[in-house]
Amino acid sequence: MTSTAVAQGTAPAPQPPAEELPAPYDMQLSRLAEVLGSIQYLRSLCGKESDDWRTSMQELLSADTAKEPKRRERLTAAFNRGYRSFASVHTTCTDSARTAEERYRNEGATLAAEIAARFGN
């Protein structure tokens, strides 16, 4: 930009938004989001109507991606992928659906504990 442009009051070009850098735990967080989506679907399918897992995901997004819309989109997509992956296979509550839900709850608890222990404050 020339000094003439500044003297004439031309505003400088806006800066592009800062690039969102992935957090070191994004892979684990993405998997956790997918697990939460799976659990949300499976628990609803098996008669445990509650938005607890969706609420947990919303709290996670609010806490970890408040100013990072692209990360928020990726994590939301992972939650939806987990939800839809079971919705495409399980249409009724079966023993295998209950077993999957239990395994995913265990995996989710493990992931959450690992993320908190390794990357928490």
Side-chain angles (χ1 to χ4, degrees):
M1 175 182 286
T2 66
S3 60
T4 307
V6 172
Q8 294 174 353
T10 305
Q15 295 293 319
E19 183 179 335
E20 293 179 19
L21 299 175
Y25 51 87
D26 268 359
M27 287 184 64
Q28 293 98 329
L29 200 59
S30 182
R31 178 62 186 158
L32 179 59
E34 194 170 338
V35 165
L36 290 173
S38 299
I39 294 169
Q40 178 66 44
Y41 177 78
L42 291 167
R43 289 188 64 91
S44 296
L45 179 69
C46 289
K48 296 178 182 165
E49 290 294 327
S50 170
D51 279 340
D52 291 350
W53 301 98
R54 181 171 277 120
T55 300
S56 294
M57 183 66 201
Q58 189 60 50
E59 290 170 357
L60 178 72
L61 289 172
S62 295
D64 204 64
T65 65
K67 297 179 182 178
E68 299 173 287
K70 290 187 188 297
R71 282 185 70 229
R72 185 180 193 91
E73 283 179 27
R74 286 191 299 272
L75 292 174
T76 300
F79 179 92
N80 291 337
R81 185 172 47 251
Y83 188 96
R84 290 181 187 130
S85 69
F86 279 97
S88 68
V89 175
H90 295 279
T91 56
T92 59
C93 186
T94 62
D95 287 340
S96 66
R98 282 189 284 279
T99 299
E101 186 267 333
E102 182 180 352
R103 287 181 180 162
Y104 272 70
R105 273 189 296 117
N106 290 336
E107 181 182 355
T110 300
L111 281 166
E114 287 174 357
I115 292 168
R118 187 163 178 209
F119 302 103
N121 294 337

